[in-house]
Amino acid sequence: MRKKIIIILLLIIFIVIFALGYRRIVDKHEPSQDAEYVDAANTLKIVKDMIKEEDKAEYVNRVYKVSFMYPKNWQEKEESRDKSGVPTAYEGKHGFFKIDTIEGNNIDMDTIAVEMVQKKEKPYGESPHMYSVEINNTGGIFIIPSYDQNEKFKEQAAFIVKYPEPVIIDGRAQRYFVLYSDVDKIEKIVKSLNFLK
């Protein structure tokens, strides 16, 4: 009796293994819309797009007095130009950046970061992560959103840094430069940030 049970179990295991192997062969030759191969094709396309984004272009803005590298295939946003006509925002399939300044009279950078995080609409979620770094011999603060960030903010992160010297824009002294970008790109962009004279 025990031999029969073992033989039946082995036979069942053999049938299951054969069926799974046959299904894989059929799926390779006759993929359907719901097969995993559709996801693989989409994943491959996304990876190719991301590789293309690794080609860099230099962004230079003489009004904001900054330059940095960004993915070459990002396109400028028409509605966001400074007084000199230079775009202040670019975006692509897998990211974006936007620049801004803050006057910051008698306000330190930590206070500015906290105020940005505590805005009513919570652009960085309920518990974003803030950390300090040094760039170009001056301190800066990254604001990285928490998992509960509202979808309308597109995984937006921010970087705040004090200008080496105030920059005059529209007759007003701006003391802080702010870069907004998606979480995956912001650190790479910041690493290439330079202040212009």
Side-chain angles (χ1 to χ4, degrees):
M1 180 72 174
R2 191 170 180 185
K3 278 186 177 181
K4 286 184 179 180
I5 292 174
I6 292 173
I7 291 172
I8 291 172
L9 285 174
L10 288 173
L11 187 57
I12 291 171
I13 291 171
F14 177 77
I15 291 170
V16 169
I17 291 172
F18 177 78
L20 289 174
Y22 177 76
R23 167 112 174 123
R24 286 189 182 145
I25 291 169
V26 169
D27 282 348
K28 282 185 182 176
H29 296 292
E30 298 175 20
S32 64
Q33 284 297 328
D34 58 353
E36 290 181 26
Y37 305 109
V38 173
D39 288 339
N42 287 340
T43 303
L44 183 60
K45 183 178 182 329
I46 289 169
V47 169
K48 284 181 180 177
D49 288 344
M50 291 172 84
I51 289 170
K52 286 179 187 173
E53 285 188 353
E54 292 304 313
D55 292 338
K56 302 289 183 204
E58 184 178 22
Y59 175 80
V60 178
N61 189 307
R62 300 204 184 282
V63 173
Y64 286 72
K65 297 196 183 284
V66 293
S67 71
F68 52 82
M69 303 304 286
Y70 69 97
K72 188 177 186 177
N73 65 350
W74 287 3
Q75 302 295 314
E76 67 180 74
K77 291 183 76 171
E78 294 290 330
E79 69 276 5
S80 60
R81 291 179 174 264
D82 65 20
K83 296 278 185 190
S84 66
V86 176
T88 57
Y90 279 70
E91 67 182 352
K93 286 184 180 179
H94 304 291
F96 71 95
F97 79 78
K98 178 183 175 195
I99 63 171
D100 201 356
T101 59
I102 297 174
E103 282 185 42
N105 294 327
N106 303 316
I107 301 175
D108 63 44
M109 197 169 11
D110 292 328
T111 303
I112 291 170
V114 169
E115 287 177 359
M116 289 174 65
V117 164
Q118 293 179 343
K119 288 182 180 177
K120 184 178 179 181
E121 65 270 11
K122 299 282 187 189
Y124 304 98
E126 290 294 327
S127 54
H129 178 65
M130 294 188 290
Y131 63 96
S132 300
V133 295
E134 187 167 311
I135 179 150
N136 293 331
N137 300 317
T138 187
I141 297 176
F142 279 104
I143 302 173
I144 306 299
S146 55
Y147 71 93
D148 59 351
Q149 180 185 37
N150 188 318
E151 287 182 23
K152 77 177 185 178
F153 292 103
K154 295 182 174 182
E155 297 185 0
Q156 174 180 294
F159 179 72
I160 309 159
V161 64
K162 189 171 186 176
Y163 278 112
E165 295 178 22
V167 172
I168 307 302
I169 299 176
D170 294 332
R172 302 178 74 97
Q174 306 295 313
R175 288 169 177 74
Y176 296 96
F177 171 74
V178 183
L179 171 73
Y180 301 95
S181 187
D182 57 290
V183 174
D184 295 332
K185 302 285 188 310
I186 195 161
E187 289 183 4
K188 288 180 182 177
I189 293 173
V190 167
K191 283 180 182 178
S192 67
L193 177 64
N194 289 302
F195 295 111
L196 307 176
K197 298 212 180 225

